[in-house]
Amino acid sequence: MNIDYNVSIKGYNTFGIDEIAEQFVVLQATNELRALSEIEERKIIGSGSNILCTQSISALLIANRLKGIEQIKEDEHHVWFEVASGELWHDFVEYAIDKGLAGIENLALIPGTVGAAPIQNIGAYGVEVKNTIESVTFWHWKSKVFKTLANEDCHFGYRDSIFKNELKDTFFITSVCFKLNKQAVLNTSYGAIEEELQQLNIMHPSPKDVAQAVMNIRRSKLPNPAEVGNAGSFFKNPTIPVQQYLDLKKEFASIPAYPIDEQSVKVPAGWLIEQCGWKGFRKDDYGVHEKQALVLVNYGDATGEEIWQLSSDIVASVQEVFGIELEREVQVW
Ligand code: EPU
């Protein structure tokens, strides 16, 4: 294990931001974690798809390259896999689909690694990863031992978990155990999936078909980080009280909302941002994606500071027009 100094992270984050990591190490085996436990401050990067870096990194930056997918159990209805945290999420989705297993097909093509998936409970098209996670195993820096948390102890919420809150900065996720289904219980209720399956002329979809529909939709809306720097949704969809929604509806008749519970609804941040006129905005090399206003983009040489400033301007204008405070979904360093 080699520590390198003053390494550019441009190739290590999908926003393509060019900042320096003062100390940098690539982790390939879990037995290397003990030695890194002595270091005062660490940051971890998987595939760097949910990070906006606005300054040079003085902490030791650890690039996670732990690999391996192992089937650990099987019964009549399910198969369990222990997956190393450095595996790319979509590679695991493809692996599962090739085996005819169901449960994560709606999450096809989400950027990022398996280890990052539980941290923000990745979700798309009506499915969240928490539905298939059995447990999460991590190295605890302070006590220098591996620990395993069962699903119910991970406190999963919308783009949220214990790893973003109580346990923040105390762990390195090494593997995640998934429980996948042999019999497909598909979730195609999310409008765009039904339409896409019809377009593809598929009446009785398999998990593979659903994944294909999801991939088509994502490719049509979301920019490919290999072409335009971005980190997917930059903001979370805000939850507001029903009364606030009804008041807004008097002024903005077409405001969309999805019910959460009796008291609250979720409003698509992309809609709010578009209404404020930001969709397709571009200045120099930074801007707002033209097909999905929730995605901020780097066309080449934007700095993290510029994207941060743009996000602050968007937060201010959504606050001014709708009285709603947007929360960032990406991790800002
Ligand atoms: N909308 C607009 N203008 C826009 C974008 C969206 O008006 O520019 C409105 C439309 O009314 C649309 C609604 O927002 O019907 C919802 O849009 P979309 O289906 O694209 O989903 P989203 O709420 O913007 C969320 C997730 C995505 C996920 C999709 C599909 C969050 C923060 N984002 O986006 O996740 O792929 O649903 O399930 O929850 C990510 O987290 O990085 C991500 C891409």
Side-chain angles (χ1 to χ4, degrees):
M1 196 175 43
N2 242 349
I3 295 187
D4 292 319
Y5 297 91
N6 297 323
V7 174
S8 164
I9 64 155
K10 193 171 169 72
Y12 290 94
N13 71 108
T14 60
F15 246 129
I17 301 294
D18 195 7
E19 284 288 352
I20 295 294
E22 291 173 18
Q23 307 171 70
F24 178 83
V25 70
V26 175
L27 186 96
Q28 270 154 337
T30 52
N31 63 13
E32 297 169 339
L33 285 163
R34 183 169 288 278
L36 298 178
S37 305
E38 306 304 332
I39 285 158
E40 191 107 320
E41 223 197 317
R42 299 153 295 249
K43 286 192 185 303
I44 303 158
I45 202 159
S47 62
S49 61
N50 203 44
I51 282 160
L52 175 69
C53 190
T54 60
Q55 56 192 324
S56 63
I57 300 163
S58 55
L60 171 71
L61 183 62
I62 307 171
N64 180 359
R65 295 294 176 269
L66 299 177
K67 299 284 181 194
I69 302 178
E70 196 190 343
Q71 180 174 326
I72 53 168
K73 204 162 89 174
E74 179 172 2
D75 69 13
E76 198 186 332
H77 300 296
H78 301 104
V79 186
W80 286 256
F81 293 96
E82 192 73 34
V83 186
S85 55
E87 289 283 350
L88 288 180
W89 171 256
H90 183 70
D91 288 352
F92 177 52
V93 173
E94 288 205 311
Y95 177 92
I97 285 168
D98 283 348
K99 290 196 172 310
L101 297 168
I104 52 177
E105 56 283 348
N106 293 43
L107 307 181
L109 222 56
I110 294 188
T113 52
V114 165
I119 297 177
Q120 62 150 345
N121 182 23
I122 57 170
Y125 308 103
V127 172
E128 289 182 328
V129 76
K130 69 169 184 183
N131 306 348
T132 49
I133 289 181
E134 182 89 343
S135 63
V136 178
T137 297
F138 57 90
W139 173 258
H140 190 253
W141 292 118
K142 203 161 170 212
S143 51
K144 295 182 200 155
V145 289
F146 291 101
K147 296 188 180 186
T148 298
L149 276 190
N151 180 309
E152 56 274 22
D153 297 323
C154 295
H155 303 169
F156 289 121
Y158 167 59
R159 296 295 191 276
D160 206 20
S161 74
I162 195 170
F163 303 107
K164 274 180 140 181
N165 297 291
E166 293 97 307
L167 290 183
K168 193 173 192 292
D169 293 336
T170 66
F171 62 88
F172 184 108
I173 291 177
T174 49
S175 65
V176 181
C177 180
F178 295 91
K179 179 184 176 184
L180 302 182
N181 304 318
K182 288 184 176 175
Q183 285 88 12
V185 186
L186 300 177
N187 185 335
T188 57
S189 56
Y190 197 95
I193 296 190
E194 290 287 2
E195 282 163 36
E196 187 61 33
L197 288 169
Q198 275 172 19
Q199 290 256 318
L200 296 170
N201 248 321
I202 294 167
M203 304 297 170
H204 305 288
S206 65
K208 192 174 185 157
D209 296 328
V210 174
Q212 190 57 55
V214 165
M215 283 158 66
N216 292 356
I217 301 164
R218 290 189 75 94
R219 288 199 173 109
S220 73
K221 274 201 190 172
L222 297 167
N224 178 355
E227 288 157 20
V228 185
N230 76 90
S233 297
F234 195 91
F235 301 98
K236 290 189 192 181
N237 287 331
T239 299
I240 61 170
V242 171
Q243 192 52 52
Q244 186 181 4
Y245 167 68
L246 294 174
D247 291 343
L248 283 168
K249 204 163 168 57
K250 287 182 199 143
E251 204 182 333
F252 307 96
S254 63
I255 185 170
Y258 309 100
I260 298 292
D261 52 37
E262 305 233 311
Q263 287 92 43
S264 43
V265 297
K266 200 181 272 182
V267 178
W271 186 89
L272 300 169
I273 297 167
E274 180 174 350
Q275 295 303 304
C276 292
W278 287 105
K279 197 170 185 172
F281 168 88
R282 176 171 179 172
K283 182 162 187 284
D284 302 331
D285 268 354
Y286 60 96
V288 178
H289 187 50
E290 59 204 349
K291 293 186 197 142
Q292 167 50 291
L294 202 46
V295 180
L296 304 191
V297 288
N298 171 13
Y299 289 102
D301 290 325
T303 63
E305 193 51 49
E306 285 172 326
I307 305 240
W308 170 260
Q309 188 53 51
L310 170 63
S311 74
S312 300
D313 293 346
I314 291 172
V315 169
S317 75
V318 169
Q319 178 70 52
E320 194 186 316
V321 176
F322 297 102
I324 295 175
E325 185 168 2
L326 289 185
E327 211 183 304
R328 291 170 180 86
E329 199 228 72
V330 297
Q331 228 184 301
V332 180
W333 284 355

